[in-house]
Amino acid sequence: PYLSTCLFVLGLLSGIAPLVLFIAIRGLIDTHFTLSATGSVHMDDMTPWFTLVMVVAVIEALVVLAKKKVASGLSASADSEITTKVLRKANQLDIAYFENRGNQEEIGQVQSHISGRLVTLVEKSADIFSALIQVFTLTSILVLIEPLVLPLVIPLFIPYMFFQLNLTKHKLIH
């Protein structure tokens, strides 16, 4: 659960990054126009905004690396846990169970790297969570800028969501 939670927290960070970048770029533009109106444009006045952009860029890069590391740890943890449970269950079964042809399909499914599917499910769920946060935050910004965008965004969001779900389902199958 700890590593799964980490993936979702990283997804949250990834999801709010566009919002923070928007705020930083908006701050840069506003600062530049305010200073241009006074006739004294100094880079020192825009340094905090440039710093924020750089910090967000570094955090985004680190989030990508951390997602890979956490997913790897989650895969190893799930492998260990599932293997332990399978071996405990196998220890309780009679030898005849393994020789029965009817049980060969079940044994084949156990050997088909179930933990990889589980980790993929958690990763894709975290990606969907991140995408939903991005859509929500960016839509909120658009509504703040132009309230008439909301009646257009909602009808467009529903087909986009179905497209993303079908795309995710297709990736999971193949």
Side-chain angles (χ1 to χ4, degrees):
Y2 171 73
L3 292 174
S4 300
T5 305
C6 285
L7 274 178
F8 279 92
V9 168
L10 292 170
L12 175 67
L13 289 174
S14 179
I16 63 171
L19 173 67
V20 176
L21 282 175
F22 171 80
I23 291 169
I25 291 170
R26 177 83 186 250
L28 274 170
I29 292 169
D30 289 348
T31 303
H32 178 71
F33 280 120
T34 302
L35 294 175
S36 293
T38 62
S40 61
V41 178
H42 297 286
M43 290 301 286
D44 294 342
D45 297 324
M46 292 189 276
T47 301
W49 297 114
F50 283 122
T51 303
L52 183 59
V53 169
M54 289 301 297
V55 167
V56 170
V58 168
I59 287 174
E60 273 191 295
L62 292 175
V63 163
V64 170
L65 294 173
K67 276 184 178 181
K68 289 179 183 178
K69 184 71 174 166
V70 169
S72 173
L74 184 61
S75 179
S77 175
D79 258 349
S80 173
E81 186 76 23
I82 290 173
T83 301
T84 302
K85 287 184 179 186
V86 166
L87 289 175
R88 282 188 187 140
K89 179 68 177 174
N91 191 33
Q92 296 171 353
L93 297 174
D94 191 28
I95 297 278
Y97 178 84
F98 297 101
E99 294 172 351
N100 185 349
R101 288 189 183 261
N103 298 327
Q104 294 300 317
E105 184 178 327
E106 183 179 343
I107 294 169
Q109 287 178 346
V110 169
Q111 294 174 339
S112 68
H113 197 51
I114 295 171
S115 65
R117 292 185 202 155
L118 176 67
V119 171
T120 301
L121 175 68
V122 173
E123 283 180 304
K124 296 301 176 184
S125 298
D127 289 344
I128 290 172
F129 177 69
S130 176
L132 285 173
I133 289 176
Q134 285 180 357
V135 166
F136 178 75
T137 56
L138 294 176
T139 302
S140 300
I141 291 170
L142 285 174
V143 168
L144 287 174
I145 294 171
E146 179 58 56
L148 294 176
V149 167
L150 192 59
L152 292 173
V153 169
I154 291 175
L156 294 174
F157 174 72
I158 294 169
Y160 172 76
M161 195 60 182
F162 281 116
F163 171 75
Q164 286 297 327
L165 288 173
N166 286 333
L167 185 64
T168 303
K169 188 187 312 180
H170 180 72
K171 284 181 181 179
L172 287 174
I173 292 172
H174 299 294

